[in-house]
Amino acid sequence: MLNNAVSSIIQGESGKVNNDLFEIYRKSYFKAIESVYTEDIYSELVTRFKYNAIQLAAAKSYKVTSELADAKALLQGKQFEDEAKRIIQKYNRYQAAEYNTLTARCRTAKQWDQFKAEEQLYQNIEWLRTRSANPREQHLRYVGIILPRNHPFWLSNQPGNLYGCKCDWKTTDAPVTGEPEAIIPPSKGLEGNPANTGVLVTNKHTYFRINDAESKEIQSFTSKYIWNNYSKEALRTLRTEKLSLSIANIDFPVLFSRSGINHLFHNKVISDEFTSLKNIALPNINEYFKKMEYVSSHPNNDLENKMVVQYHYFKIKMFEKDVYLNVRELTSGELLPYALTPSIRYK
């Protein structure tokens, strides 16, 4: 894939975000996330992490693609080949650190949620010494600190917020020790508690130091990638699953048509970010079916559309937003999910 990437750039066939490079980076980041979240891989937090990883992979691919393109404009033959190899190897070396960092950040987020569950028994958290044989000085100052779980210190300071950090933490019923005398700033891009922010790598990372035009290029690439890949996944899964929705205590079978799935994916809701998160979550929409709230039904007044009897609306809490699923009831008695909207719309 690396050879394909370099060849496509040499031949002028690559876009500004090289897809082969993107896939190498994305797969590595997803592997880091899924190595920690082995069971709850469809949770909204994991969906947020995967969206962040897709953005990170696209931004990194953009940066590497740009460096290779710049080298191609200046160098020829063996000189370019040597420079291309140097660029690729440089970013490959970064990949191991990035994988370990994302793994650590996911582990921190998962532990934080576990700490919430343990709060009735253990209200405090203790910072533990690193597992590293050669620990760095910075986080050694935190070892032994014990603070309540709801203390603001934990919102910006956690194990894993420095590159290569191998510190740990645990819940405890030991007494509070007080705050540290000095706060250690996190590495650029590792700000905030990922369990609360839903972000593993923030826009302060060097890969995201880009201008508006570059940002739009990356956003366009990620939106298309998410639409293409997750719509295909939805077509594979939803069209074969037997699902139902309840209206007035009567269960109706749900039909997912190709056009209905495509419309759900094309459907922009609230913002580009929310739309992308929604699209990543759609192949697993059956999990939302379990928690949806029926709101109302309205007859179909469009005389030209004779296949639809009426429209039903269900409220969904999705990524901390209330949205409404528009479901068409067909003359066959089946329900056809058709659109997600921020409010109920009907003719």
Side-chain angles (χ1 to χ4, degrees):
M1 291 181 77
L2 288 170
N3 289 337
N4 288 342
V6 175
S7 295
S8 64
I9 292 168
I10 291 173
Q11 296 167 19
E13 298 172 352
S14 174
K16 292 186 177 180
V17 179
N18 182 275
N19 195 66
D20 286 320
L21 291 175
F22 166 79
E23 273 300 303
I24 291 170
Y25 305 144
R26 182 201 63 80
K27 287 179 180 178
S28 175
Y29 299 152
F30 271 35
K31 184 178 179 181
I33 295 168
E34 292 169 357
S35 70
V36 176
Y37 289 94
T38 56
E39 297 177 354
D40 41 2
I41 59 172
Y42 298 114
S43 72
E44 288 197 342
L45 182 61
V46 172
T47 299
R48 287 184 184 276
F49 287 167
K50 287 189 172 182
Y51 175 57
N52 183 221
I54 290 169
Q55 290 179 306
L56 183 67
K60 181 175 182 178
S61 175
Y62 184 96
K63 189 170 184 64
V64 179
T65 303
S66 297
E67 289 192 22
L68 288 170
D70 290 345
K72 177 177 175 288
L74 295 172
L75 304 171
Q76 300 293 326
K78 183 71 164 56
Q79 282 185 311
F80 170 70
E81 291 177 11
D82 290 343
E83 179 63 9
K85 186 181 294 185
R86 185 195 67 79
I87 292 170
I88 291 292
Q89 289 177 345
K90 176 179 70 172
Y91 285 98
N92 279 357
R93 288 196 300 272
Y94 296 164
Q95 198 65 27
E98 291 161 8
Y99 175 88
N100 291 335
T101 296
L102 264 63
T103 302
R105 297 274 282 170
C106 285
R107 184 169 177 266
T108 289
K110 190 169 186 178
Q111 287 175 314
W112 182 259
D113 286 339
Q114 181 60 37
F115 294 167
K116 286 183 184 178
E118 296 174 359
E119 195 167 23
Q120 295 298 320
L121 295 174
Y122 306 105
Q123 297 182 355
N124 300 330
I125 297 174
E126 179 180 358
W127 192 290
L128 303 177
R129 182 183 172 87
T130 177
R131 306 186 308 277
S132 175
N134 299 298
R136 290 172 296 182
E137 180 65 29
Q138 293 104 313
H139 277 175
L140 287 178
R141 306 176 199 176
Y142 289 170
V143 175
I145 286 174
I146 299 173
L147 294 170
R149 193 197 65 81
N150 59 3
H151 194 283
F153 172 82
W154 301 120
L155 297 180
S156 52
N157 300 277
Q158 319 85 34
N161 73 351
L162 295 177
Y163 288 107
C165 174
K166 296 180 181 178
C167 292
D168 205 349
W169 53 356
K170 69 173 184 178
T171 51
T172 179
D173 56 2
V176 170
T177 60
E179 298 181 50
E181 294 182 2
I183 299 297
I184 312 304
S187 299
K188 290 290 184 183
L190 304 185
E191 299 84 5
N193 187 328
N196 294 332
T197 65
V199 174
L200 295 172
V201 178
T202 73
N203 59 12
K204 291 186 179 181
H205 190 282
T206 183
Y207 294 157
F208 292 121
R209 292 176 193 167
I210 50 181
N211 60 40
D212 289 345
E214 292 169 327
S215 180
K216 288 178 182 178
E217 190 79 36
I218 291 168
Q219 182 61 49
S220 175
F221 177 90
T222 57
S223 296
K224 288 177 183 177
Y225 169 82
I226 291 168
W227 192 94
N228 286 330
N229 285 271
Y230 287 95
S231 63
K232 290 175 183 176
E233 184 180 341
L235 284 168
R236 285 195 304 270
T237 58
L238 296 179
R239 297 190 72 191
T240 58
E241 288 193 31
K242 293 182 179 180
L243 302 172
S244 64
L245 286 173
S246 181
I247 302 172
N249 295 321
I250 300 174
D251 290 337
F252 292 84
V254 173
L255 168 69
F256 280 98
S257 68
R258 181 180 294 273
S259 62
I261 290 172
N262 286 340
H263 193 274
L264 282 168
F265 273 87
H266 275 301
N267 188 203
K268 181 175 178 178
V269 186
I270 300 175
S271 65
D272 288 336
E273 177 182 354
F274 187 92
T275 300
S276 290
L277 290 169
K278 174 261 295 183
N279 285 348
I280 296 173
L282 276 176
N284 197 45
I285 198 172
N286 55 328
E287 289 300 311
Y288 288 96
F289 278 14
K290 299 173 185 177
K291 300 173 283 188
M292 285 196 304
E293 175 188 341
Y294 169 71
V295 178
S296 62
S297 299
H298 303 276
N300 174 30
N301 295 321
D302 183 0
L303 299 179
E304 294 183 3
N305 189 351
K306 296 181 180 180
M307 291 184 60
V308 178
V309 177
Q310 58 184 330
Y311 296 94
H312 305 287
Y313 294 88
F314 296 81
K315 184 166 75 172
I316 306 176
K317 177 70 74 174
M318 184 177 268
F319 302 103
E320 301 174 2
K321 304 286 186 182
D322 286 336
V323 293
Y324 296 87
L325 179 66
N326 174 343
V327 179
R328 295 174 167 184
E329 182 181 338
L330 307 181
T331 53
S332 63
E334 293 173 308
L335 300 184
L336 177 65
Y338 188 71
L340 277 166
T341 59
S343 60
I344 293 178
R345 303 172 185 171
Y346 59 92
K347 296 180 181 179

